[in-house]
Amino acid sequence: MIIDTAMQTGRTRKTDTPVKELLMRYFPAALALSLALAVTGSMGSARVNDPVDPRAQALLAAGRAALEHGDLNSATDAFEAALTIDPGYVGTFVALGDTARKGGLPGKAIHYYKVVLDRDPGNLAAISGEGTAMAEKGALDKAKANLVRLEGLCGKGCGETQALAAAIAKGPAPKVVSAEAVKPQPVAETN
């Protein structure tokens, strides 16, 4: 009878490690690592910062100048033209949202800000602008949620946080009533 020396010492010897065991042991870690690298790589290639095309930069500058002078139509035209040249730049959407908000269209402004937040969830200008538009619409609870989010991202001393806090303190914009909506009641007077 042949007795293995490893068995005599109380140890068992392991022959070849099966491939299945290796896969089960290392596959989850390898999958997680490759997924992390893929996400990091795709985030690096996503362009959310500066527009590359100088024509878009010139149009954005012209739009901002028109917006400062109160010419909302020219500002919108310039921003939309910049958007056609460089559709990936989120700053153009923020500018369009600001223009819509200043033009009394908070719903349209919220749409533009949501486009930005879908692409860049930490964009402070978009969070502040969306909160301001919500406050102007009367959705103060949602605006306060944006304020809490901003305070978590950049603190209470941040310019975007202070602007949103001021908009919430100001409250909703007054409702504009058209002349057709208000019909005077006829008054009969006796002579």
Side-chain angles (χ1 to χ4, degrees):
M1 182 162 141
I2 301 174
I3 299 175
D4 192 348
T5 57
M7 292 183 89
Q8 288 177 350
T9 60
R11 291 184 269 154
T12 59
R13 70 179 166 172
K14 209 173 205 180
T15 58
D16 296 330
T17 306
V19 174
K20 186 175 182 181
E21 183 180 336
L22 283 173
L23 279 175
M24 289 176 60
R25 181 175 291 174
Y26 297 109
F27 182 72
L31 181 67
L33 182 62
S34 65
L35 183 62
L37 290 174
V39 169
T40 304
S42 68
M43 286 174 48
S45 67
R47 188 172 49 86
V48 294
N49 292 333
D50 291 330
V52 175
D53 197 318
R55 296 174 299 166
Q57 289 176 343
L59 287 167
L60 285 169
R64 288 185 186 112
L67 188 60
E68 285 179 17
H69 292 310
D71 189 1
L72 300 179
N73 291 331
S74 295
T76 302
D77 291 343
F79 294 143
E80 287 176 349
L83 189 63
T84 59
I85 293 172
D86 193 359
Y89 181 55
V90 295
T92 307
F93 287 101
V94 172
L96 281 166
D98 293 342
T99 306
R101 191 171 42 80
K102 288 181 181 178
L105 303 170
K108 190 173 185 178
I110 290 170
H111 164 73
Y112 286 126
Y113 296 130
K114 286 210 181 286
V115 170
V116 174
L117 293 174
D118 287 343
R119 294 180 184 185
D120 183 15
N123 190 305
L124 302 178
I127 296 169
S128 177
E130 181 187 45
T132 302
M134 287 179 179
E136 289 172 355
K137 259 186 112 160
L140 294 177
D141 290 337
K142 291 181 180 181
K144 288 177 184 176
N146 277 23
L147 181 64
V148 169
R149 186 174 170 194
L150 272 175
E151 287 174 350
L153 289 172
C154 68
K156 291 185 179 187
C158 178
E160 288 86 357
T161 305
Q162 292 174 350
L164 179 55
I168 291 172
K170 184 178 176 184
K175 302 277 183 189
V176 177
V177 180
S178 66
E180 291 82 26
V182 179
K183 294 184 181 180
Q185 296 295 329
V187 178
E189 292 183 15
T190 56
N191 289 336

